[in-house]
DNA sequence: ATAAGAACTTGATAAATGACAAGAAATCAT
DNA sequence: ATGATTTCTTGTCATTTATCAAGTTCTTAT
């Protein structure tokens, strides 16, 4: 149980003394999940916060036709959270499921609260995590409304090529907001060039 | 200079003692802007945080054809912030402009920091504000990728009918992710029923 | 190794939306 | 009030993407 990667993640976002990071992560516990396993189920209250050290996770909703629409793809190292559910204790609308075998760290709200109110550096880190997540989501929204599917595909391919090694095109298609047939045709078009 | 509405907003999101709210908002200053005035310009660093007490504001980007794509519409009372710019001092990608005459309160990062680290209730409020904003943005993204334009239009009409009184269809169209011609046709179709 | 299922591709056709242009209606500045 | 500007609508046609169905390839469980 080595917390090196977890601790480094805190450092990488906001400069914090080693001893303080160790105090923050003291109560984190590790666990693994096999691929295609639910991490957080729909309509439940997420009582843990998760750090994904290894693997890929996606969140998705079921639309009116019960089709899965991928809302986010998480690639380690990163935190995986349903903010509204975790902090406001509301039922989740999305399902969070592993795409590959995964290695996680988890802790609960009680511990987050203690750190948040007692450790100034953790407060800064937490806020930064929100700012970055909000900003990424905003960028994604802008991309979805202002660029066409082919551009969005090329952006993903350029910025996160590793995703294509691990995640099926069906999931990627729904993340890009198109059907798998359309994605297949986009790839065909691009390969011609 | 009456801070009643501003103070009430804090209360409405998270229960805080009156005296503490007054302390939090002590350093907020008010100002007005005429309609169609820039609040935060593109490529600048937003050094203030804004509370919109009265009026409507929108944020938008300029796409590759220099067309305005509305990313958000803010209706009072609410906070208006470019989180990434304000907290990470990064240049904004979006322009924030008033749609109507507006009345604002503002304060700076120094004050936010003092409150954030000294007042536990403000910390909770701040985090809640992030959680709610993140969640709204996530809902909007889900709506954009999983529902068609007509449904998105009807949702906006049901949940925020007041927007249609103050905001031009051109801006609403771009917020819904369609052209103004398409929105016009959607409205025509619906009116037939 | 093999059968079953899932992932991916492809074709034909339909639906949704965009692009452009022109005209009508509303708003604004003087 | 009047002309200029902007907003909104509408027509025609093009583009993008979805839908459905069939076939191929790849994975996985036994």
């Amino acid at each position: 149980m080595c917390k090196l990667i977890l601790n480094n993640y805190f450092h990488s976002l906001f400069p914090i003394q080693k001893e303080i990071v160790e105090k923050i992560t003291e109560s984190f516990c590790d666990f693994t999940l096999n691929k295609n396993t639910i991490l957080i189920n729909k309509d439940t209250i997420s009582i843990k916060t998760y750090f994904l050290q290894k693997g890929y996770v996606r969140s998705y909703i079921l639309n009116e036709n019960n089709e899965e629409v991928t809302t986010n793809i998480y690639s380690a190292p990163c935190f995986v959270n349903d903010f509204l559910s975790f902090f406001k204790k509301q039922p989740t609308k999305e399902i969070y499921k592993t795409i590959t075998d995964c290695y996680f760290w988890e802790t609960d709200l009680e511990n987050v609260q203690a750190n948040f109110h007692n450790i100034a550096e953790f407060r800064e880190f937490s806020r930064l995590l929100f700012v970055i997540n909000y900003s990424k989501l905003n960028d994604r929204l802008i991309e979805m409304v202002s660029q066409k599917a082919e551009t969005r595909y090329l952006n993903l391919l350029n910025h996160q090529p590793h995703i294509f090694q691990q995640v099926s095109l069906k999931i990627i298609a729904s993340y890009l907001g198109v059907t798998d047939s359309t994605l297949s045709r986009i790839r065909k078009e691009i390969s011609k060039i």
Side-chain angles (χ1 to χ4, degrees), chain A:
Chain A
M1 185 163 112
C2 162
K3 292 182 177 169
L4 190 62
I5 292 175
L6 175 61
N7 289 354
N8 278 346
Y9 187 80
F10 279 89
H11 277 291
S12 70
L13 234 66
F14 187 78
I16 315 182
Q17 279 183 25
K18 202 164 175 287
E19 294 73 31
I20 296 176
V21 173
E22 281 165 8
K23 190 155 185 322
I24 291 170
T25 61
E26 207 170 37
S27 70
F28 279 65
C29 298
D30 62 341
F31 66 101
T32 59
L33 287 183
N34 291 335
K35 68 187 291 186
N36 294 321
T37 309
I38 290 176
L39 174 68
I40 308 172
N41 209 344
K42 183 171 162 358
D43 299 324
T44 63
I45 291 167
S46 169
I47 60 168
K48 301 282 185 177
T49 186
Y50 303 98
F51 176 76
L52 176 64
Q53 171 164 334
K54 193 165 189 313
Y56 290 82
V57 170
R58 71 184 174 118
S59 54
Y60 62 93
I61 55 152
L62 298 170
N63 70 8
E64 62 277 7
N65 302 324
N66 249 35
E67 294 154 347
E68 298 178 356
V69 179
T70 298
T71 49
N72 216 339
I73 297 173
Y74 300 88
S75 49
C78 68
F79 275 90
V80 178
N81 273 304
D82 190 296
F83 292 128
L84 196 65
S85 186
F86 183 68
F87 287 111
K88 286 200 74 182
K89 299 187 194 300
Q90 296 194 5
T92 53
K93 296 173 186 168
E94 289 158 89
I95 299 163
Y96 294 73
K97 194 185 264 188
T98 59
I99 296 174
T100 61
D101 291 350
C102 288
Y103 183 74
F104 293 96
W105 295 92
E106 68 173 23
T107 191
D108 59 21
L109 184 57
E110 197 183 344
N111 184 244
V112 169
Q113 286 299 68
N115 287 335
F116 187 66
H117 287 298
N118 298 327
I119 304 177
E121 289 87 347
F122 180 75
R123 289 201 275 280
E124 292 287 342
F125 169 83
S126 300
R127 196 172 56 188
L128 209 48
L129 201 60
F130 269 111
V131 168
I132 291 170
N133 275 293
Y134 184 88
S135 169
K136 276 188 187 170
L137 192 58
N138 202 39
D139 286 350
R140 186 154 128 73
L141 182 65
I142 291 172
E143 197 182 39
M144 293 302 283
V145 300
S146 68
Q147 286 170 353
K148 62 180 200 168
E150 184 178 316
T151 312
R152 300 201 297 272
Y153 167 76
L154 287 170
N155 285 345
L156 188 64
L157 195 58
N158 286 329
H159 296 124
Q160 313 219 246
H162 54 95
I163 284 183
F164 290 84
Q165 312 304 313
Q166 302 291 339
V167 183
S168 73
L169 291 178
K170 190 180 167 153
I171 290 172
I172 290 173
S174 112
Y175 177 70
L176 291 172
V178 294
T179 58
D180 45 353
S181 314
T182 298
L183 179 56
S184 181
R185 291 192 177 99
I186 287 171
R187 286 161 62 84
K188 194 183 175 188
E189 269 312 302
I190 287 167
S191 69
K192 280 186 193 166
I193 304 165

